[in-house]
């Protein structure tokens, strides 16, 4: 009998050890391939580094933290499949993704699976207007971005504005918001409002049509691959109209696609770039990232993904739980002014980040992104 009791106790101990050794899985969904691949690949680097740092301090609730990554390809259909795969892998939460229409394709999958989702670049307003309990984001919303965009256009002295979008959830939403604000600004006129098809290689036809409307400036609300082409092709047409871009144009690849000469003078809205983050935490993180990967992160959206990782692991540590309802309640009601890499983070009842985040940048003649005063 004693021997049987000893064996039973030993087995209980062994099983307990196995369970204790089970890793805490944090999902990451991002565009590892496709036209936004540089964003997704850097998101993964940031998440992997933060997991490594957390594990060096003992992990999470005594468990090793593992990042489980899935590629959404920057495509809604691929994103739905990626979300379904992640939802079956025992993840506690998922960080991502970058594009709003891509995020929207995965939202309900995570919500139905009761998995916390913290988006990093999906700024479309309607994403947080659905009442989804488990959806949060570390990036701001497009109504805030539109407000800063309209203020910037007015401050720069432009009166006749063309607005160009690409019909995606993010770009069309931002264009509509900006149009409404600019039309309500005294002395401002919207002389052109149309869409391009993303992924095309020649935009000279719509550039020619837009030029005929004689705008003082163009507000482009699409993504950086198309912005780079538009800048290059308008230069080839000898059309020197200033362009202002939304935050999805913030990527160094824009300059590679456009060329330095064509990109010079381009304005865009963005959360502060990694190099402009002021906190000591952010500086230490940038140094650690540079040491591991050989260069600092280029994208603020990768750092915003890092803030998503830090927020959810903090919530798990504070609640001592991986229960999605407890975590959602903590994020909605308890976390206040969390010291994120991109600034203080709190969430409202919709899961939106609270506070002003956007800044204005200009591309200089050397292709560098310079923060405007």
């Amino acid at each position: 009998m004693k021997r049987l009791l000893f064996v039973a106790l030993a087995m209980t101990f062994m099983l307990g050890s196995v369970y204790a050794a089970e890793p805490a899985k944090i999902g990451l969904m991002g565009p590892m391939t496709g036209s936004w691949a540089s964003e997704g690949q850097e998101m993964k680097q940031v998440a992997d580094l933060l997991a490594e740092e957390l594990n060096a301090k003992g992990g999470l609730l005594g468990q090793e933290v593992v990042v489980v990554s899935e590629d959404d390809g920057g495509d809604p259909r691929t994103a739905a499949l990626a979300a379904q795969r992640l939802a079956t892998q025992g993840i506690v939460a998922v960080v991502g993704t970058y594009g709003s229409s891509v995020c929207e394709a995965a939202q309900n999958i995570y919500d139905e699976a009761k998995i916390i989702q913290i988006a990093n670049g999906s700024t479309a307003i309607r994403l947080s207007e659905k009442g989804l309990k488990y959806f949060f984001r570390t990036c701001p919303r497009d109504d805030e971005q539109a407000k800063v965009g309209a203020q910037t256009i007015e401050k720069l002295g432009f009166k006749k504005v063309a607005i160009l979008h690409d019909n995606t959830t993010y770009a069309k939403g931002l264009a509509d918001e900006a149009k409404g604000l600019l039309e309500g600004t005294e002395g401002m006129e919207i002389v052109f409002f149309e869409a391009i098809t993303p992924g095309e290689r020649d935009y000279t036809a719509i550039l020619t049509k837009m030029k005929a409307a004689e705008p003082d400036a163009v507000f482009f609300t699409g993504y950086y691959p198309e912005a780079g082409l538009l800048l290059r092709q308008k230069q080839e047409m000898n059309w020197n109209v200033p362009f202002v871009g939304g935050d999805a144009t913030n990527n160094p690849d824009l300059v590679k696609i456009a060329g330095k000469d064509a990109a010079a003078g381009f304005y865009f809205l963005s959360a502060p770039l990694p190099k402009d983050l002021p906190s000591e935490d952010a500086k230490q993180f940038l140094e650690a990232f540079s040491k591991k990967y050989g260069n600092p992160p280029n994208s603020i959206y990768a750092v915003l993904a890092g803030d998503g990782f830090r927020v959810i692991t903090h919530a798990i540590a504070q609640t001592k739980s991986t229960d999605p309802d407890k975590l959602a309640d903590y994020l909605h009601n308890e976390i206040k002014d969390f010291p994120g890499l991109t600034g203080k983070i709190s969430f409202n009842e919709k899961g939106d980040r609270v506070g002003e985040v956007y800044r204005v940048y200009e591309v200089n003649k050397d292709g560098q992104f310079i923060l405007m005063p």
Side-chain angles (χ1 to χ4, degrees):
M1 180 65 104
K2 288 182 179 179
R3 179 177 174 79
L4 286 173
L5 181 61
F6 176 79
V7 171
L9 288 169
M11 289 182 68
T12 301
F13 177 78
M14 288 170 65
L15 286 170
S17 298
V18 169
Y19 290 139
E22 279 290 310
K25 297 177 181 178
I26 306 293
L28 176 73
M29 190 173 85
M32 314 299 172
T33 59
S35 59
W36 305 335
S38 61
E39 294 287 351
Q41 290 164 11
E42 201 163 87
M43 285 166 60
K44 186 177 188 309
Q45 289 179 322
V46 167
D48 287 344
L49 174 58
L50 289 173
E52 183 181 299
E53 291 179 344
L54 191 56
N55 287 330
K57 297 175 183 176
L60 193 59
L61 304 183
Q63 298 171 300
E64 179 191 12
V65 178
V66 173
V67 177
V68 182
S69 301
E70 284 287 349
D71 177 20
D72 62 40
D75 177 78
R77 289 167 296 182
T78 306
L81 295 172
Q84 289 166 0
R85 285 193 297 270
L86 279 172
T88 63
Q89 295 188 57
I91 60 171
V92 178
V94 63
V95 175
T97 186
Y98 172 68
S100 291
S101 57
V102 185
C103 182
E104 190 164 34
Q107 271 188 307
N108 287 338
I109 295 169
Y110 292 128
D111 192 70
E112 289 171 9
K114 293 189 176 183
I115 293 172
I116 301 288
Q117 179 186 13
I118 307 183
N120 62 303
S122 306
T123 57
I125 296 167
R126 74 187 194 199
L127 297 179
S128 56
E129 294 293 329
K130 302 175 182 181
L132 299 181
K133 180 177 181 179
Y134 307 107
F135 177 76
F136 299 84
R137 49 182 159 191
T138 52
C139 55
R141 289 186 6 158
D142 285 336
D143 42 2
E144 176 64 25
Q145 180 174 184
K147 183 174 73 175
V148 175
Q151 290 170 348
T152 300
I153 288 168
E154 185 177 16
K155 182 180 177 181
L156 292 170
F158 303 133
K159 297 297 184 184
K160 296 169 65 179
V161 181
I163 299 178
L164 190 64
H165 61 90
D166 66 8
N167 264 329
T168 59
T169 302
Y170 153 76
K172 180 64 161 57
L174 177 56
D176 287 340
E177 285 287 317
K179 182 173 183 285
L181 290 170
L182 289 169
E183 284 177 337
T185 302
E186 187 177 350
M188 196 75 67
E189 182 185 1
I190 306 299
V191 296
F192 186 91
F193 187 91
E194 285 195 27
I196 61 168
T197 301
E200 292 188 348
R201 306 305 301 169
D202 186 356
Y203 293 114
T204 52
I206 198 161
L207 283 167
T208 300
K209 186 177 179 182
M210 191 160 49
K211 183 179 180 181
E214 299 182 344
D216 298 332
V218 176
F219 186 35
F220 177 64
T221 64
Y223 290 82
Y224 63 89
E226 289 74 28
L229 280 175
L230 287 163
L231 291 172
R232 190 176 79 204
Q233 289 168 9
K234 81 175 180 70
Q235 184 190 50
E236 290 168 354
M237 291 168 50
N238 294 315
W239 188 30
N240 296 319
V241 66
F243 262 57
V244 180
D247 61 358
T249 62
N250 170 16
N251 189 287
D253 286 353
L254 175 136
V255 178
K256 294 177 185 176
I257 295 165
K260 290 180 182 179
D261 287 346
F266 176 69
Y267 301 96
F268 65 87
L269 315 174
S270 177
L273 298 184
K275 66 184 178 68
D276 297 316
L277 296 174
S279 75
E280 194 57 40
D281 263 6
K283 290 174 183 175
Q284 289 175 7
F285 171 74
L286 295 178
E287 288 176 10
F289 188 97
S290 297
K291 184 177 180 180
K292 183 173 178 66
Y293 298 113
N295 55 270
N298 290 306
S299 172
I300 192 59
Y301 302 105
V303 183
L304 285 163
D307 271 343
F309 180 94
R310 282 163 55 101
V311 161
I312 191 59
T313 53
H314 174 77
I316 293 167
Q318 291 299 304
T319 60
K320 295 182 172 56
S321 174
T322 57
D323 179 86
D325 292 307
K326 289 183 179 178
L327 293 172
D329 181 68
Y330 181 82
L331 292 173
H332 280 300
N333 303 308
E334 301 297 327
I335 193 166
K336 302 295 179 188
D337 293 336
F338 175 78
L341 298 170
T342 58
K344 294 178 180 179
I345 298 175
S346 304
F347 299 104
N348 63 18
E349 68 281 358
K350 297 177 181 178
D352 287 320
R353 182 172 178 169
V354 177
E356 293 186 0
V357 179
Y358 283 108
R359 304 289 185 271
V360 183
Y361 283 81
E362 183 179 8
V363 182
N364 71 8
K365 61 182 178 59
D366 297 317
Q368 298 169 327
F369 296 170
I370 306 300
L371 180 65
M372 293 183 67

